[in-house]
Amino acid sequence: MDVQPWQAETPGPRRALIAQAMRPAPVTDHWHEAARDLAGDAAAALNGLDLLEAENPRLEAAAIAVAIRELLAQEHATIAVITNDGALARRVTAALGRFG
């Protein structure tokens, strides 16, 4: 499988939302200001996204790994996991490793 850079052809509401979500902690106080700008496009930005709430980090990683496994069982499926949490990325990788 080839890995290709993820690029939206034109900046859109999803890109703006992701940019805000990935802000470094010291500047998250700007979220209130950004929320006003994003409010009109919130439905479009969130279309196709799912919310996952888990009781602990291990279950969170396991749920993400299961979702990845289910999606990749579909023909021509692609998936991206975007996180700035290195520990989460390692837990998801480990959980995927158990699936082979």
Side-chain angles (χ1 to χ4, degrees):
M1 177 182 347
D2 294 329
V3 176
Q4 300 176 1
W6 174 46
Q7 297 176 336
E9 292 190 17
T10 58
R14 170 91 34 99
R15 182 183 266 182
L17 176 68
I18 290 172
Q20 291 303 319
M22 301 301 272
R23 276 185 179 269
V27 292
T28 56
D29 59 316
H30 296 287
W31 278 347
H32 295 288
E33 179 181 318
R36 287 189 298 272
D37 297 335
L38 295 172
D41 295 324
L46 297 173
N47 185 37
L49 295 182
D50 294 315
L51 173 64
L52 168 67
E53 296 184 62
E55 290 183 26
N56 60 56
R58 183 185 59 78
L59 292 176
E60 177 185 32
I64 293 169
V66 167
I68 291 169
R69 183 179 183 198
E70 288 177 358
L71 180 70
L72 292 179
Q74 300 173 20
E75 189 174 349
H76 306 295
T78 59
I79 187 167
V81 177
I82 302 170
T83 180
N84 60 355
D85 183 340
L88 174 62
R90 287 187 293 279
R91 286 191 299 274
V92 171
T93 301
L96 287 169
R98 289 190 281 281
F99 294 140

